Amino acid sequence: MFHKILAAIDMSKTGKRVFEEALDLAQANGASLMLLHILCPDEEGCPDMSVLYNMNPYQAGIGGEVAEQYQKQWEAFVNKGLDLLRSHSETATAAGVYTECAQNLGSPGRTICETACTWDADLIVIGRRGLSGLSEAVLGSVSNYVIHHAPCSVLTVQSQVKTTAQSHSRESVQVGVLT
Protein backbone atom coordinates (compact mmCIF):
# COMPACT_ATOMS: atom_id res chain seq x y z
CA MET A 1 0.00 0.00 0.00
CA PHE A 2 2.68 2.54 1.01
CA HIS A 3 6.13 2.47 -0.57
CA LYS A 4 7.74 5.70 0.66
CA ILE A 5 6.88 7.06 4.11
CA LEU A 6 8.11 10.45 5.29
CA ALA A 7 8.23 10.85 9.09
CA ALA A 8 8.40 14.49 10.20
CA ILE A 9 10.03 14.21 13.61
CA ASP A 10 11.07 16.59 16.32
CA MET A 11 12.64 16.21 19.75
CA SER A 12 9.36 15.86 21.66
CA LYS A 13 7.64 12.75 23.03
CA THR A 14 5.18 13.05 20.16
CA GLY A 15 8.13 13.06 17.73
CA LYS A 16 9.23 9.73 19.17
CA ARG A 17 5.73 8.30 18.71
CA VAL A 18 5.67 9.64 15.13
CA PHE A 19 8.89 7.73 14.45
CA GLU A 20 7.54 4.54 16.04
CA GLU A 21 4.29 4.71 14.04
CA ALA A 22 6.16 5.41 10.79
CA LEU A 23 8.59 2.55 11.47
CA ASP A 24 5.72 0.12 12.15
CA LEU A 25 4.03 1.14 8.90
CA ALA A 26 7.27 0.90 6.93
CA GLN A 27 7.89 -2.63 8.28
CA ALA A 28 4.31 -3.73 7.60
CA ASN A 29 4.38 -2.38 4.03
CA GLY A 30 8.00 -3.09 3.10
CA ALA A 31 8.35 0.66 2.57
CA SER A 32 11.31 3.03 2.59
CA LEU A 33 11.44 5.61 5.35
CA MET A 34 12.56 9.24 5.19
CA LEU A 35 13.25 10.82 8.58
CA LEU A 36 12.93 14.59 8.37
CA HIS A 37 13.81 17.06 11.11
CA ILE A 38 13.18 20.76 10.55
CA LEU A 39 15.35 23.29 12.36
CA CYS A 40 12.76 25.77 13.53
CA PRO A 41 12.74 28.53 16.17
CA ASP A 42 9.47 27.16 17.60
CA GLU A 43 10.98 23.81 18.57
CA GLU A 44 11.81 23.22 22.20
CA GLY A 45 15.53 23.62 22.80
CA CYS A 46 16.12 26.05 19.94
CA PRO A 47 18.26 28.97 21.11
CA ASP A 48 16.43 32.26 21.50
CA MET A 49 17.35 34.42 18.53
CA SER A 50 15.85 37.54 20.12
CA VAL A 51 19.02 37.98 22.24
CA LEU A 52 20.83 38.95 19.03
CA TYR A 53 18.24 41.59 18.20
CA ASN A 54 18.17 43.04 21.71
CA MET A 55 21.91 43.75 21.92
CA ASN A 56 23.02 47.31 22.55
CA PRO A 57 25.48 48.13 19.74
CA TYR A 58 27.17 50.75 21.92
CA GLN A 59 28.43 48.24 24.49
CA ALA A 60 31.77 47.34 22.97
CA GLY A 61 32.72 43.67 23.10
CA ILE A 62 29.44 42.41 24.52
CA GLY A 63 27.81 41.98 21.11
CA GLY A 64 30.55 39.65 19.91
CA GLU A 65 30.34 37.55 23.07
CA VAL A 66 26.57 37.24 22.81
CA ALA A 67 26.79 36.30 19.13
CA GLU A 68 29.50 33.74 19.89
CA GLN A 69 27.42 32.22 22.70
CA TYR A 70 24.38 32.06 20.41
CA GLN A 71 26.46 30.35 17.71
CA LYS A 72 27.55 27.68 20.20
CA GLN A 73 23.95 27.12 21.30
CA TRP A 74 22.81 26.91 17.67
CA GLU A 75 25.51 24.34 16.83
CA ALA A 76 24.49 22.27 19.86
CA PHE A 77 20.85 22.41 18.70
CA VAL A 78 21.82 21.32 15.16
CA ASN A 79 23.95 18.47 16.51
CA LYS A 80 21.15 17.32 18.82
CA GLY A 81 18.86 17.07 15.77
CA LEU A 82 21.48 15.12 13.83
CA ASP A 83 21.97 12.77 16.79
CA LEU A 84 18.21 12.19 16.91
CA LEU A 85 18.17 11.34 13.20
CA ARG A 86 21.17 8.99 13.54
CA SER A 87 19.61 7.18 16.49
CA HIS A 88 16.25 6.68 14.74
CA SER A 89 18.00 5.70 11.51
CA GLU A 90 20.02 3.02 13.32
CA THR A 91 16.85 1.66 14.93
CA ALA A 92 15.02 1.54 11.58
CA THR A 93 17.97 -0.04 9.77
CA ALA A 94 18.26 -2.69 12.51
CA ALA A 95 14.55 -3.40 11.94
CA GLY A 96 15.26 -4.02 8.25
CA VAL A 97 13.81 -0.74 6.92
CA TYR A 98 15.73 1.25 4.29
CA THR A 99 16.07 4.72 5.78
CA GLU A 100 17.17 8.14 4.58
CA CYS A 101 17.56 11.23 6.76
CA ALA A 102 17.41 14.97 6.23
CA GLN A 103 17.64 17.97 8.50
CA ASN A 104 16.58 21.25 6.94
CA LEU A 105 16.18 24.83 8.07
CA GLY A 106 12.90 26.46 7.16
CA SER A 107 9.18 26.72 7.61
CA PRO A 108 8.16 23.27 8.93
CA GLY A 109 4.89 22.82 7.02
CA ARG A 110 6.23 24.06 3.72
CA THR A 111 9.48 22.10 4.06
CA ILE A 112 7.65 18.88 4.91
CA CYS A 113 5.37 19.22 1.87
CA GLU A 114 8.26 20.15 -0.45
CA THR A 115 10.32 17.19 0.78
CA ALA A 116 7.36 14.83 0.36
CA CYS A 117 6.93 16.05 -3.21
CA THR A 118 10.63 15.90 -4.10
CA TRP A 119 11.11 12.48 -2.49
CA ASP A 120 7.82 11.22 -4.02
CA ALA A 121 6.39 10.11 -0.66
CA ASP A 122 3.01 8.44 -0.62
CA LEU A 123 2.48 8.98 3.12
CA ILE A 124 3.52 11.66 5.60
CA VAL A 125 3.46 10.81 9.30
CA ILE A 126 3.37 13.93 11.47
CA GLY A 127 2.65 14.84 15.07
CA ARG A 128 -0.14 17.09 16.22
CA ARG A 129 -0.06 19.10 19.44
CA GLY A 130 -3.83 19.50 19.61
CA LEU A 131 -3.94 23.28 19.58
CA SER A 132 -7.22 24.88 18.67
CA GLY A 133 -8.87 28.25 18.60
CA LEU A 134 -6.72 31.23 19.46
CA SER A 135 -3.61 29.13 20.25
CA GLU A 136 -3.68 27.61 16.78
CA ALA A 137 -4.36 30.99 15.15
CA VAL A 138 -1.46 32.67 16.97
CA LEU A 139 1.07 29.82 16.90
CA GLY A 140 -0.05 28.28 13.63
CA SER A 141 -0.42 24.61 13.01
CA VAL A 142 2.17 22.66 11.08
CA SER A 143 -0.06 19.59 10.89
CA ASN A 144 -2.97 21.67 9.60
CA TYR A 145 -0.77 23.19 6.90
CA VAL A 146 0.55 19.77 5.88
CA ILE A 147 -2.95 18.24 5.77
CA HIS A 148 -4.08 20.97 3.39
CA HIS A 149 -0.97 21.17 1.19
CA ALA A 150 0.54 17.68 1.14
CA PRO A 151 0.98 15.90 -2.20
CA CYS A 152 0.03 12.58 -0.56
CA SER A 153 -1.88 11.00 2.33
CA VAL A 154 -1.17 12.29 5.85
CA LEU A 155 -1.30 10.37 9.11
CA THR A 156 -1.39 12.49 12.26
CA VAL A 157 -0.24 11.23 15.63
CA GLN A 158 -1.95 13.21 18.37
CA SER A 159 0.17 14.40 21.27
CA GLN A 160 -0.82 13.16 24.69
CA VAL A 161 -4.11 14.59 25.83
CA LYS A 162 -4.91 14.07 29.49
CA THR A 163 -8.48 13.82 30.65
CA THR A 164 -9.85 13.18 34.10
CA ALA A 165 -10.53 9.57 33.13
CA GLN A 166 -6.90 8.92 32.20
CA SER A 167 -4.30 7.91 34.69
CA HIS A 168 -1.31 10.24 34.86
CA SER A 169 0.96 7.28 34.17
CA ARG A 170 -0.77 6.22 30.95
CA GLU A 171 -0.23 7.80 27.57
CA SER A 172 -2.76 7.83 24.80
CA VAL A 173 -2.03 8.00 21.12
CA GLN A 174 -4.74 8.91 18.64
CA VAL A 175 -3.94 8.09 15.05
CA GLY A 176 -5.91 9.10 12.00
CA VAL A 177 -5.18 8.87 8.29
CA LEU A 178 -6.36 11.66 6.03
CA THR A 179 -6.24 11.24 2.30
Side-chain angles (χ1 to χ4, degrees):
M1 179 178 199
F2 298 116
H3 303 286
K4 296 179 95 176
I5 300 172
L6 186 147
I9 60 173
D10 60 17
M11 297 179 207
S12 69
K13 287 182 182 179
T14 302
K16 185 176 189 304
R17 291 197 305 263
V18 165
F19 167 71
E20 291 167 351
E21 188 69 31
L23 178 59
D24 288 346
L25 286 167
Q27 285 180 298
N29 288 279
S32 298
L33 186 60
M34 165 68 79
L35 303 176
L36 177 63
H37 179 246
I38 308 298
L39 296 168
C40 171
D42 295 334
E43 185 169 8
E44 186 177 318
C46 184
D48 184 6
M49 191 179 251
S50 68
V51 298
L52 297 175
Y53 297 117
N54 294 330
M55 291 188 305
N56 182 344
Y58 301 107
Q59 293 177 319
I62 293 177
E65 292 172 15
V66 171
E68 187 176 308
Q69 182 63 27
Y70 177 82
Q71 181 64 31
K72 288 179 183 176
Q73 291 173 350
W74 178 256
E75 288 173 10
F77 179 66
V78 168
N79 289 331
K80 187 175 179 183
L82 292 172
D83 290 343
L84 176 73
L85 289 171
R86 277 188 213 102
S87 173
H88 286 335
S89 180
E90 289 170 4
T91 301
T93 301
V97 174
Y98 175 79
T99 307
E100 297 178 47
C101 298
Q103 178 168 265
N104 298 327
L105 176 65
S107 167
R110 188 172 301 123
T111 303
I112 291 164
C113 290
E114 288 171 358
T115 303
C117 187
T118 303
W119 191 62
D120 200 26
D122 44 25
L123 177 68
I124 298 170
V125 182
I126 188 169
R128 183 175 181 276
R129 291 185 290 181
L131 299 177
S132 61
L134 186 58
S135 295
E136 183 176 15
V138 172
L139 297 174
S141 170
V142 174
S143 59
N144 188 48
Y145 180 93
V146 171
I147 287 167
H148 287 92
H149 296 91
C152 59
S153 296
V154 176
L155 181 141
T156 59
V157 178
Q158 177 69 37
S159 66
Q160 181 177 351
V161 179
K162 291 192 179 194
T163 64
T164 54
Q166 285 180 312
S167 162
H168 290 295
S169 63
R170 285 185 37 211
E171 291 186 0
S172 71
V173 177
Q174 298 175 7
V175 177
V177 177
L178 301 172
T179 57

